[in-house]
Amino acid sequence: MTAPGPREGSVTAGPGEGSVTVAGPLPVRPYDVTVVGAGVVGAALARELARHPRLRVALVEAQDDVGQGTSKANTAILHTGFDAVPGSLEARLVREGHRLLSAYAAESGIPVEPVGALLVAWDEDQLAALPGLADKARRNAHDGVRPLDAAELYAREPHLGPGALGALHVPGESVICPWTTPLAYATQAVRHGVDLHLGCRVESVTGGTGGGHQVLGTTRGPLHTRWLVNAAGLHADTLDRMRGHEDFTVTPRRGQLLVFDTFARDLVRHILLPVPTALGKGVLVAPTVHGNVLLGPTAEDLDDRTATGTTAEGLAGLREKGRRVLPALLEEEVTAVYAGLRAATEHDDYRITAHPGQAYVTVGGIRSTGLTASLAIAAHVRDLLADSGLALGPARDLEPVHMPRLGRTTPRPCRVPERVAADPEYGVVVCPCEQVSRGEIRDALATTVPPRSLDGLRRRTRARAGRCQGDTCGAAVRELFEQARR
Amino acid sequence: MSAREVDVLVVGAGPAGLVAAARLAALGAGRVEVLDGDQGAGGAPRYGAHRGYGTWPRVVTGPAYARRLVAVAQRAGAVVRTGVTALDWAGPLALETAGPLGVETVSARAVVLATGARERPRAARLVPGTRPAGVYTTGELQRAVHQFGQHIGTRAVIVGAGGTAPAGEATGPEDATCAQTATGAEDAVAAAYAEHAAVTTVRASGASVVALVTGLSRARTGRAPVADLRPWRGVPLLTGATVTELLGQGRLSGVRVRHRDGGTAVLPCDTVVFTGAFVPDHTLARRGGLTLATGVRCPAVDAALRTSRPGVFATGALVRPTASAPAAARAGARAAHAVLAHLRDTC
Ligand SMILES: Cc1cc2nc3c(=O)[nH]c(=O)nc-3n(C[C@H](O)[C@H](O)[C@H](O)COP(=O)(O)OP(=O)(O)OC[C@H]3O[C@@H](n4cnc5c(N)ncnc54)[C@H](O)[C@@H]3O)c2cc1C
Ligand SMILES: Cc1cc2nc3c(=O)[nH]c(=O)nc-3n(C[C@H](O)[C@H](O)[C@H](O)COP(=O)(O)OP(=O)(O)OC[C@H]3O[C@@H](n4cnc5c(N)ncnc54)[C@H](O)[C@@H]3O)c2cc1C
């Protein structure tokens, strides 16, 4: 069992620490670099730039929390990149990102489970496609991929529905916590001097010619910066046009998902992938680090960049597919239905482009692998900035962050006698489904980047994320949240 | 971790657990302990401010009913511990518990599970749409309003019996086909209790009820054996309808409803309350690997409320999610006699 530690994730603002603001005017002094968009990509970049203490860096986000866009609503897989287009930028950054994020997660307490994936063939055509996929994996420098016959497959996944003919085993495919990841980046960035401005939507960009500053017109007033990085996700093309570029158009591709109760977790051991078709990667069944099981996503091209709602047809279609893959899954309770929007473009690869003359870099089209690739994208963009003329100055190692361990493989503080003995608040269980204590909620409310909504608190603690969805604890959790804000 | 032993450990201090503990202590079962994760004892009735608890004509409010049961249990000599949650099993007849005083393993000669039932929340009912704030079950709503005096919103839609697509169509488990199969009449009464509690609680909070949406062709609000039906005055009923989508970014802005005749409409509101559709809180029962009944998966029990594991009993709303509070209390008494027989046989 883990020894009693310092309160997880909480600090007092120290020297050299950046500020986190949600309202009021922005600092007048120009920043060296401003990153627009605090999704997993923008937050990773802000953290990367924080390694260079001479740079004054701002991370600017329209919403009231980090990771509230596409980064909060995905399938939470740390991909190996075995199925990427060989030779593409995405293939390289996913492969590197997998390695970098695996190490970073271990250092920071981000839950990861290296469960591996099985590409399951349900008919002869799919079976015939497996050798080609294995070959593609080798071209992506993934050598561990191995075919399984039906008997081996059912031995590994006894609850799989009948009729599977064989599979490809892809070791290394892992599951990760999608909420802790951007939060860890942003926390570490702020602790090393980056200013995080929330509730700050960028609506115009002017200036920047002839060596002058760029001026961002935001919902909180003007912000001056020498360099600008566009990590605006679904809105990256809009921001790009403000700088006069017509390189790509984002077409949101919605993915709806169902989350099943933790009692379903024993039904599945690997990430179960369908054999990809021309239409996309298809619907998967995946365990989560929190002990749930995901079923999804759909793939629907839309026009509306805010259409994160689920639909009756979408959910019914997923259930039908899920019933074939893992029939017993459908008997379990659903604890959440949600949808995320992939920032798809007309191009087949990421759209990461430096415009040195404008002191501007676009990080667009980070469609369906951005969580995995985030740290590698950040390193790549840092190099682009340096190549374009930004003087980074000396680099330092960052103090590690220690995030609350929300994975199912770590016992919650209420189960660790030493933690409860040292601080009885860890023994007061507020959310019984997820075994979240009042002490953890208190800690989360006092972190470097505190939650500003009950959903933000849930992403940091798991409170209200269980099978009762707040029937038992919702009112009490809300009370603690509102008390802390009074 | 400290370890303790008692004769009987009761998990859940609702009507069923309290009455079981009271009987056992009174009949000399030895050290009887009942624990509850909540900060006070009494179970779900603690939050039912309406006068709907007890047996006619002695119908009282939930808190009054709960206080009476707690007093009886304590007078009989049972130890009632609140703020202590049973997290998991530590042996066939031992549980790991957490509370501010520490993590403990409590072993017993018999364990009674009386963890109750709750209403199925929005996600489990597979209601599509956005994920806005302002979405409640009656249970959560009652706590928000009566325990904390929270502001919940101004205009609420209440989703009553059959107000979401039938569970079997939308999701796997069907309602209420547990071992102790409930009668249709009991189902209806339970649904009516919950609707009634939702209406009174919304009104007590100062919000207005936009509509009660029910899949039934005729509302059966009159069936709830409660003392006071005045809160129902002026509640618009939308019968033969189901809620098909939640709308709004950030905060709920409305619900889409579909009428049986195929027509749809949007009801503007900032709050929606999902009532009824009771499911057992079977977390401990499942974690312990007890045999479950089909349907909503209550622990399977025999006539003496024995589960599949010798020495472990289950009672109250856990085995019959639509039970009323007095019915749960009676089941608690029944469990006590079965436990006594077990203690005699095993000593
Ligand atoms: C269904 C689905 C499944 C996925 N599964 C996986 C997976 O398993 N593994 C994986 O690695 N990836 C997966 N992805 C992809 C991954 O989620 C994304 O690539 C990643 O989250 C993109 O991060 P981002 O920071 O670029 O975008 P976002 O998270 O969208 O962040 C952009 C931010 O910019 C802000 N913003 C936009 N415009 C402005 C403005 N004008 N001013 C200020 N702020 C602005 C937004 O509010 C937002 O917070 C999946 C995606 C989807 C939709
Ligand atoms: C909205 C609503 C309105 C109702 N209105 C009425 C009414 O008007 N009249 C009526 O007669 N009945 C009514 N009922 C039904 C009545 O409340 C129940 O029948 C009764 O409470 C069931 O009693 P019980 O002891 O089985 O379970 P509960 O009362 O639910 O008690 C279970 C207890 O177990 C505790 N518990 C669960 N798991 C653990 C754990 N792991 N560790 C520690 N403690 C745990 C819980 O905190 C809870 O206190 C209503 C129910 C609801 C939800």
Side-chain angles (χ1 to χ4, degrees):
Chain A
M1 290 207 171
T2 44
R7 281 183 193 170
E8 283 165 337
S10 68
V11 288
T12 46
E17 187 155 322
S19 53
V20 180
T21 72
V22 272
L26 300 163
V28 283
R29 218 180 112 203
Y31 286 98
D32 294 312
V33 187
T34 297
V35 180
V36 178
V40 72
V41 171
L45 178 59
R47 173 195 166 273
E48 184 65 45
L49 296 176
R51 295 181 54 234
H52 301 277
R54 289 216 192 126
L55 294 179
R56 275 191 86 232
V57 179
L59 178 59
V60 168
E61 167 57 48
Q63 303 194 54
D64 67 358
D65 200 357
V66 300
Q68 280 236 92
T70 301
S71 298
K72 77 167 183 200
N74 51 49
T75 42
I77 295 172
L78 183 54
H79 295 292
T80 57
F82 79 96
D83 58 349
V85 178
S88 63
L89 179 64
E90 183 173 11
R92 174 165 74 81
L93 296 182
V94 167
R95 194 163 60 239
E96 284 174 21
H98 181 277
R99 181 176 53 80
L100 291 171
L101 184 47
S102 298
Y104 183 75
E107 171 190 293
S108 313
I110 300 169
V112 171
E113 279 190 62
V115 291
L118 296 172
L119 266 161
V120 181
W122 295 93
D123 62 34
E124 291 297 340
D125 286 350
Q126 293 176 0
L127 197 61
L130 294 184
L133 288 161
D135 185 54
K136 190 178 187 184
R138 275 187 288 276
R139 280 186 287 146
N140 280 318
H142 193 314
D143 294 326
V145 172
R146 200 171 70 80
L148 302 179
D149 65 25
E152 291 170 304
L153 171 59
Y154 281 98
R156 280 176 177 267
E157 291 290 356
H159 296 282
L160 199 68
L165 304 179
L168 209 57
H169 179 222
V170 189
E173 288 282 303
S174 306
V175 292
I176 185 166
C177 177
W179 306 302
T180 310
T181 304
L183 194 61
Y185 297 160
T187 300
Q188 202 174 23
V190 169
R191 288 192 190 162
H192 290 85
V194 173
D195 287 347
L196 171 61
H197 300 302
L198 299 165
C200 187
R201 180 181 302 282
V202 176
E203 295 176 321
S204 67
V205 187
T206 51
T209 46
H213 301 154
Q214 308 183 57
V215 185
L216 309 187
T218 83
T219 44
R220 291 177 52 195
L223 184 132
H224 298 260
T225 188
R226 278 188 264 277
W227 290 77
L228 176 65
V229 180
N230 169 2
L234 291 165
H235 301 282
D237 57 343
T238 312
L239 204 61
D240 218 29
R241 285 186 171 83
M242 293 179 196
R243 289 279 70 182
H245 304 288
E246 298 264 349
D247 289 348
F248 62 95
T249 301
V250 173
T251 305
R253 185 170 298 154
R254 181 166 61 194
Q256 303 186 37
L257 289 119
L258 292 163
V259 185
F260 287 88
D261 183 72
T262 50
F263 281 124
R265 181 61 183 83
D266 289 343
L267 297 172
V268 59
R269 297 177 186 164
H270 307 73
I271 300 160
L272 301 178
L273 303 169
V275 174
T277 66
L279 296 173
K281 290 188 181 177
V283 172
L284 56 81
V285 173
T288 77
V289 291
H290 312 110
N292 299 96
V293 177
L294 289 181
L295 169 61
T298 58
E300 311 153 62
D301 285 332
L302 308 172
D303 299 322
D304 183 355
R305 297 178 192 200
T306 63
T308 52
T310 49
T311 64
E313 307 73 53
L315 300 181
L318 290 178
R319 290 176 64 82
E320 201 184 300
K321 294 209 164 84
R323 186 168 284 126
R324 166 136 203 217
V325 178
L326 209 62
L329 183 61
L330 280 289
E331 302 298 314
E332 298 297 338
E333 292 275 306
V334 169
T335 57
V337 292
Y338 68 92
L341 299 173
R342 308 170 188 84
T345 72
E346 64 275 41
H347 303 282
D348 235 4
D349 203 348
Y350 291 170
R351 301 303 289 170
I352 304 182
T353 314
H355 304 283
Q358 289 181 308
Y360 170 61
V361 177
T362 308
V363 189
I366 315 295
R367 302 163 296 181
S368 44
T369 49
L371 170 60
T372 305
S374 49
L375 286 176
I377 294 172
H380 178 66
V381 172
R382 177 209 54 210
D383 291 346
L384 285 179
L385 285 167
D387 292 347
S388 305
L390 171 67
L392 296 172
R396 59 178 166 181
D397 286 338
L398 300 176
E399 281 298 313
V401 286
H402 301 287
M403 305 303 286
R405 293 174 184 265
L406 301 181
R408 66 171 190 133
T409 55
T410 310
R412 302 302 299 244
C414 70
R415 303 190 74 157
V416 183
E418 306 85 68
R419 300 278 313 256
V420 179
D423 183 348
E425 287 292 292
Y426 291 127
V428 182
V429 177
V430 176
C431 165
C433 299
E434 295 288 319
Q435 305 190 346
V436 185
S437 65
R438 203 159 66 193
E440 291 160 274
I441 292 174
R442 171 203 62 199
D443 294 351
L445 290 167
T447 44
T448 306
V449 184
R452 288 184 170 76
S453 66
L454 287 172
D455 289 346
L457 183 60
R458 183 187 63 227
R459 292 194 291 271
R460 286 162 174 81
T461 61
R462 304 282 301 154
R464 286 164 62 250
R467 61 183 61 97
C468 90
Q469 288 284 294
D471 180 81
T472 305
C473 71
V477 171
R478 183 172 169 196
E479 198 62 19
L480 293 171
F481 176 74
E482 286 177 355
Q483 268 170 19
R485 286 159 60 95
R486 267 181 221 133
Chain B
M1 185 169 339
S2 56
R4 288 190 307 115
E5 279 175 33
V6 297
D7 291 292
V8 184
L9 180 64
V10 182
V11 185
L18 286 170
V19 168
R23 282 289 167 97
L24 283 161
L27 295 173
R31 186 173 165 87
V32 178
E33 195 167 293
V34 50
L35 56 87
D36 201 298
D38 206 344
Q39 297 305 313
R46 283 187 74 207
Y47 305 101
H50 57 284
R51 283 176 58 204
Y53 297 84
T55 27
W56 199 260
R58 292 192 56 212
V59 179
V60 294
T61 65
Y65 180 77
R67 273 194 301 275
R68 202 167 69 204
L69 294 183
V70 177
V72 171
Q74 283 173 333
R75 236 182 293 128
V79 176
V80 182
R81 297 171 76 214
T82 56
V84 179
T85 304
L87 299 172
D88 210 344
W89 297 85
L93 291 177
L95 285 158
E96 178 193 338
T97 68
L101 298 182
V103 183
E104 280 190 337
T105 303
V106 186
S107 322
R109 295 169 60 211
V111 173
V112 179
L113 297 179
T115 49
R118 57 180 171 77
E119 297 159 291
R120 197 174 246 162
R122 176 260 176 119
R125 301 184 196 214
L126 293 183
V127 178
T130 55
R131 299 176 74 193
V135 181
Y136 290 88
T137 53
T138 321
E140 182 179 353
L141 182 81
Q142 286 183 320
R143 290 172 200 237
V145 173
H146 300 309
Q147 188 179 7
F148 297 112
Q150 290 167 358
H151 173 75
I152 57 147
T154 57
R155 293 166 55 79
V157 166
I158 296 171
V159 186
T164 44
E169 212 178 281
T171 172
E174 267 293 349
D175 279 355
T177 37
C178 279
Q180 310 277 305
T181 302
T183 61
E186 185 180 284
D187 258 6
V189 169
Y193 270 139
E195 289 170 3
H196 182 80
V199 170
T200 42
T201 309
V202 165
R203 295 225 150 146
S205 80
S208 63
V209 180
V210 175
L212 172 77
V213 180
T214 162
L216 311 178
S217 24
R218 201 166 48 81
R220 51 193 179 192
T221 50
R223 293 255 208 108
V226 290
D228 187 359
L229 284 172
R230 269 173 309 174
W232 282 96
R233 280 193 203 137
V235 171
L237 295 176
L238 197 56
T239 55
T242 50
V243 170
T244 57
E245 188 182 358
L246 302 193
L247 307 166
Q249 301 280 353
R251 179 79 200 192
L252 187 73
S253 64
V255 299
R256 195 183 303 281
V257 291
R258 184 171 47 224
H259 195 261
R260 197 180 288 150
D261 66 15
T264 67
V266 171
L267 300 178
C269 60
D270 58 14
T271 304
V272 61
V273 188
F274 289 95
T275 74
F278 289 92
V279 290
D281 188 342
H282 60 196
T283 301
L284 280 179
R286 276 195 86 172
R287 276 184 186 251
L290 303 184
T291 303
L292 303 174
T294 52
V296 288
R297 303 196 191 183
C298 306
V301 288
D302 65 10
L305 300 172
R306 288 182 289 223
T307 69
S308 59
R309 185 184 299 164
V312 178
F313 300 76
T315 188
L318 170 64
V319 290
R320 192 157 152 177
T322 52
S324 67
R330 284 194 298 276
R334 233 169 6 109
H337 292 283
V339 171
L340 277 175
H342 166 80
L343 294 177
R344 269 199 306 274
D345 292 350
T346 52
C347 72

